[in-house]
Amino acid sequence: MNKNIRLLLFAKWISNFGTQLHSLAFPIIVYNQTHSSTILSLAFIAETLPWLFIGPIIPHTLSKKMSDKSILVLCDLMRFLIVIGILNFIKIPYIVLCLIFFLGCFNSIYGSFRTSIIKSNTDDLTLTKTIGISLGVDDLINMLAPAFGALLISIGILPTIFLMADSVSYLLSAFLILKIQSHEDKHLSESESNLNFYHKATEGFHIIWNNIELKWLVILEGIRSLVEGISIPLLILYVTQILLKSETTFAWSRAISSIFSILASLMYIKFEAKLAKGKFVNIGTAFLTTSLLSMAFFNEIYVFYLASAFLGIGMGIRQLVSENLLIKLTDNCKLPQVTSAFNAFISSLYLLGYGISIFQREGISVVYFFVTCSLLLLIGYFYKAPSTLLDV
């Protein structure tokens, strides 16, 4: 593994650790400040909205003028400043919503280029190994960070400390990426430079539309994203209004989900060569559906923790399948465009889900939302993958 890849992966893992702490603490902070499910859902919408229109458009403009390295450093520095701003305006919800929107803008741009710069610095022989290491450590971080955060919250550490750690992680990530020796050539061919703005912004969507495997992936992940968009903002309400427990219970449930997500990753690695991708999708769907139905019909704390484990397994499997397929089914030169288009579509379904969750008015209605989500997941369960995908 060359020096560039080591630096890129370390930067990715450090920022991921901060992001995991952020994602654990932020819903707790917003809910404690506002006691409003509407504001909480709006916060998720504000962070996700840029993935819908910033991701597919802005990267094409930036890529003509800046190297991937410079773009990643810029995104990390801006995310550092934005999180500092959130800490300073944490008691003014609508300013925080604006800052979260801009954080989402830079997250969406960063997400479009992070995978492509890793792939461009890796030869074909070691790409699979590099991706495996990257995802494996990601899963370890996704397990350790929430567990560490839950432990700190249980002993009285304020969640705002986690936002401080998140800001520092972005600064460290930017420093590591600056040390990369970049040899990128950003000059466009004449045919590429003559493409109009509309074509550049929609190229990724055209690629997905003309590829049956990518279309299959988008449909299934779209259904999953809609379900998660409805469910995620309601989990802390489920804990506080139905289980009548504190934010510590919510934090531990996130930690349990993360622990079982890495177990799902190990299962994926062990059986990846033996089972078709469609089978993995159905296994993940079964765990997600069981999790939501368990929370809907059994309002006991031990059932909630078990459901959190199932939720982690289901989400872990589905995310691993989608990321692996997206990389393997896409040419390197088109990966930023396809990633941006994929993220935009998935984000639109998350936004729809977050919007639906706003209509929750009392604790008991959370149950009905979870049942509806389970029915949506079953649609994806019976959707058949094209046979060509079995060879990927």
Side-chain angles (χ1 to χ4, degrees), residues 202-223:
T202 60
E203 184 179 7
F205 295 100
H206 288 300
I207 293 172
I208 291 174
W209 180 257
N210 293 318
N211 187 306
I212 187 171
E213 289 86 5
L214 287 175
K215 276 198 294 186
W216 172 82
L217 185 64
V218 164
I219 291 171
L220 286 182
E221 291 309 293
I223 294 172

Side-chain angles (χ1 to χ4, degrees), residues 70-80 105-107 109-110 170:
S70 300
I71 292 170
L72 295 183
V73 170
L74 173 65
C75 288
D76 273 334
L77 293 178
M78 292 305 300
R79 294 191 295 176
F80 163 75
C105 290
F106 288 101
N107 283 340
I109 296 171
Y110 189 90
Y170 291 139

Side-chain angles (χ1 to χ4, degrees), residues 254-275:
R254 292 290 301 272
I256 289 171
S257 292
S258 301
I259 290 170
F260 279 86
S261 181
I262 192 170
L263 295 178
S265 302
L266 294 174
M267 183 175 70
Y268 179 86
I269 293 170
K270 181 175 179 60
F271 295 105
E272 194 244 351
K274 300 178 181 179
L275 290 178

Side-chain angles (χ1 to χ4, degrees), residues 11 16 27 82 120 165 187 197 220 229 247 253-254 303 328 333 372:
N16 278 359
I82 290 169
S120 65
H187 296 294
F197 177 81
L220 286 182
E247 63 227 27
S253 73
R254 292 290 301 272
V303 175
K328 291 181 179 180
C333 61
T372 302

Side-chain angles (χ1 to χ4, degrees), residues 178-313:
L178 275 173
K179 296 173 69 67
I180 293 172
Q181 296 178 353
S182 181
H183 303 291
E184 298 171 284
D185 184 6
K186 304 301 288 186
H187 296 294
L188 298 175
S189 67
E190 185 176 351
S191 61
E192 289 177 307
S193 61
N194 288 334
L195 293 176
N196 61 40
F197 177 81
Y198 172 79
H199 183 85
K200 293 173 184 176
T202 60
E203 184 179 7
F205 295 100
H206 288 300
I207 293 172
I208 291 174
W209 180 257
N210 293 318
N211 187 306
I212 187 171
E213 289 86 5
L214 287 175
K215 276 198 294 186
W216 172 82
L217 185 64
V218 164
I219 291 171
L220 286 182
E221 291 309 293
I223 294 172
R224 178 182 67 85
S225 301
L226 175 62
V227 168
E228 289 183 15
I230 296 172
S231 305
I232 290 173
L234 301 180
L235 286 176
I236 192 168
L237 275 75
Y238 179 84
V239 170
T240 58
Q241 295 184 15
I242 294 182
L243 297 181
L244 302 178
K245 300 295 182 179
S246 69
E247 63 227 27
T248 302
T249 299
F250 173 75
W252 279 115
S253 73
R254 292 290 301 272
I256 289 171
S257 292
S258 301
I259 290 170
F260 279 86
S261 181
I262 192 170
L263 295 178
S265 302
L266 294 174
M267 183 175 70
Y268 179 86
I269 293 170
K270 181 175 179 60
F271 295 105
E272 194 244 351
K274 300 178 181 179
L275 290 178
K277 300 297 185 293
K279 294 290 186 182
F280 273 114
V281 169
N282 286 344
I283 291 171
T285 302
F287 275 106
L288 288 173
T289 305
T290 303
S291 171
L292 294 172
L293 290 176
S294 298
M295 285 188 281
F297 294 108
F298 302 96
N299 302 327
E300 300 288 342
I301 186 66
Y302 69 89
V303 175
F304 175 61
Y305 284 142
L306 181 62
S308 298
F310 284 178
L311 190 68
I313 293 172

